[in-house]
Amino acid sequence: MVIRGLWVCKIRLVKHFGLAQVLCLLVFTCLFVTLFIDYIESWVTSLRMNGVGGAQGGILPQSVPPTRPEEYLLMPSPLVCQRAKPYLITMVTSAPANQKARQAIRDTWGGEVQVRGYRVMTLFMVGQVSDTVLTKQLTDEAREHGDLVQGRFVDSYTNLTLKTLSMLAWARRFCPEARFLAKVDDDVMFNPSALLQYISLNWGAQERELEELYLGRVHLNVAPDHDPGSKHFFPKDAFSGAVFPDYCSGTAYVLSRPAVLKLSLAAAASPLPKPLPPEDVFVGLCANTAGIAPTHCPLFSGGPPVPYARCCYQAMVSAHHTKPEEMLNYWEDMHSKAPCSWVGVRSSLGICKLRALLGYLLWPTL
Ligand SMILES: *[C@@H]1O[C@H](CO)[C@@H](O)[C@H](O)[C@H]1NC(C)=O
């Protein structure tokens, strides 16, 4: 249908303007789409957002109980943020056994303390394990690097929501200095420099200090799974709507200081559903209760994996499904040559995003 329509349209155009002009127009359109794909994506996404945010804003408590230091088995000095005064704190949710992933992050983007003139800090968030050898290794790792926060909950995939709650509580109590908190998975190539550039263009101003920001790749119109046998089962009494409020992909998202506080209030306002919902859905529900709408940023991956290209990765804020060795290689390559030119970044970003989209259309389950 659509193709026939286009074909008819093209024939008419050719009759009217001649082949050269039509080809010219086509080339121009392709070029435009490639160079400005992120703007186009932002625009299309904003049209499709369901805007539930705030519509069902519940009543939030005035405060949450203060976080107790005993809730953490391991953590850096309680003064770590007072001393470092980070503008951005990145908390990497990591499985205890993923030592290689954590080391790759320390050796690349997580090792930076100053980016674009802003102080940044990266910490790792883990839970408890029953294995005594691994427990000992975690203690040693924490002593050596001083960048582990271990919450009092059993570390498992289904308990990821507890990890996020533990992370929010830690940041509230021990890092109120940070203006932004990024939650990142340990298989994500994160790019604080690209994030800080985006923030300073859109959110950095002093007068926006009190605004809530919940930024990432927004998942739209996801339907809850009410089948009790399913891995992603979501009980009806916990959420009865046809689709979840829009939420940011859990691979990487960013919260401003006021958003951290309001999310915590919203989480405290309602009992935790059982079984626990997926972490990102849960954060989205809390944000919705708190009246915070997510903001989509096309520079976060989170849908189809984005194939590596040097200039593209210089612009992307996050790219997930990155193995530790890949992270080291990409980081070295990204910093081996001069930064890419504007045209270099625009075209590379357009091409890698188009490739990711094509990959998704061909293999949607990946
Ligand atoms: C999640 O953590 C709680 C608290 O530590 C624990 O009781 C529970 O067994 C954990 N669940 C899973 C599935 O690991």
Side-chain angles (χ1 to χ4, degrees):
M1 229 349 239
V2 175
I3 300 207
R4 236 185 78 190
L6 279 177
W7 190 239
V8 170
C9 178
K10 203 168 145 197
I11 290 175
R12 284 210 188 125
L13 276 175
V14 171
K15 267 195 190 148
H16 211 79
F17 296 108
L19 193 59
Q21 278 97 331
V22 172
L23 278 180
C24 209
L25 186 73
L26 266 178
V27 170
F28 178 78
T29 311
C30 289
L31 207 65
F32 181 82
V33 169
T34 309
L35 288 182
F36 299 103
I37 193 159
D38 47 342
Y39 295 97
I40 298 170
E41 185 187 312
S42 284
W43 175 67
V44 172
T45 309
S46 67
L47 292 181
R48 293 180 55 217
M49 287 215 178
N50 66 25
V52 185
Q56 53 187 60
I59 300 164
L60 302 185
Q62 291 296 307
S63 63
V64 277
T67 308
R68 291 172 300 124
E70 305 85 78
E71 285 166 46
Y72 302 93
L73 296 156
L74 297 172
M75 62 177 242
S77 151
L79 301 179
V80 67
C81 280
Q82 269 182 43
R83 292 199 194 108
K85 296 194 178 48
Y87 179 79
L88 166 72
I89 179 167
T90 305
M91 301 204 63
V92 181
T93 44
S94 182
N98 290 358
Q99 285 116 337
K100 261 181 110 180
R102 290 194 289 278
Q103 197 51 46
I105 291 175
R106 286 186 194 107
D107 293 340
T108 57
W109 59 267
E112 310 216 291
V113 290
Q114 183 104 5
V115 176
R116 289 183 181 268
Y118 295 103
R119 286 159 170 273
V120 297
M121 188 162 82
T122 302
L123 298 178
F124 298 94
M125 192 74 220
V126 294
Q128 282 173 279
V129 281
S130 50
D131 183 314
T132 48
V133 177
L134 191 49
T135 303
K136 168 87 171 52
Q137 284 172 353
L138 282 176
T139 314
D140 293 344
E141 187 181 336
R143 192 175 312 128
E144 186 180 344
H145 298 284
D147 58 4
L148 288 194
V149 180
Q150 185 181 36
R152 264 185 209 276
F153 55 86
V154 175
D155 198 303
S156 66
Y157 182 75
T158 45
N159 261 350
L160 278 179
T161 295
L162 298 184
K163 195 175 270 188
T164 296
L165 285 172
S166 183
M167 170 192 82
L168 290 175
W170 192 88
R172 239 176 27 239
R173 163 90 197 252
F174 296 106
C175 211
E177 290 82 2
R179 176 113 181 251
F180 296 97
L181 164 70
K183 181 270 181 190
V184 177
D185 281 346
D186 66 3
D187 66 342
V188 168
M189 182 79 187
F190 195 56
N191 186 345
S193 172
L195 172 67
L196 289 170
Q197 182 178 31
Y198 183 88
I199 283 182
S200 75
L201 285 175
N202 299 283
W203 291 88
Q206 212 68 41
E207 58 269 23
R208 306 196 82 161
E209 178 91 11
L210 295 176
E211 281 183 38
E212 291 109 18
L213 174 66
Y214 170 34
L215 180 79
R217 162 157 300 269
V218 175
H219 285 320
L220 301 156
N221 302 315
V222 177
D225 190 340
H226 291 312
D227 170 12
S230 148
K231 188 178 159 208
H232 298 291
F233 167 63
F234 204 92
K236 258 210 171 104
D237 47 349
F239 182 78
S240 56
V243 289
F244 289 123
D246 298 332
Y247 61 92
C248 291
S249 158
T251 50
Y253 56 83
V254 176
L255 299 166
S256 65
R257 192 163 35 200
V260 169
L261 189 66
K262 273 211 175 172
L263 272 184
S264 306
L265 293 176
S270 51
L272 275 179
K274 281 215 169 60
L276 287 172
E279 180 271 331
D280 45 9
V281 169
F282 177 75
V283 171
L285 286 171
C286 291
N288 185 52
T289 307
I292 305 172
T295 304
H296 179 76
C297 172
L299 302 178
F300 285 69
S301 80
V306 179
Y308 179 76
R310 190 170 68 92
C311 297
C312 171
Y313 270 49
Q314 282 186 5
M316 290 294 288
V317 171
S318 77
H320 67 315
H321 289 320
T322 311
K323 298 188 186 78
E325 314 83 65
E326 289 172 337
M327 208 176 275
L328 294 164
N329 293 339
Y330 295 171
W331 183 259
E332 196 187 327
D333 185 55
M334 279 163 70
H335 296 84
S336 62
K337 298 183 202 88
C340 299
S341 64
W342 183 84
V343 175
V345 167
R346 300 309 310 170
S347 54
S348 181
L349 184 67
I351 290 167
C352 73
K353 284 190 76 87
L354 284 174
R355 279 176 65 194
L357 187 67
L358 197 67
Y360 176 70
L361 294 177
L362 295 178
W363 301 281
T365 49
L366 262 179

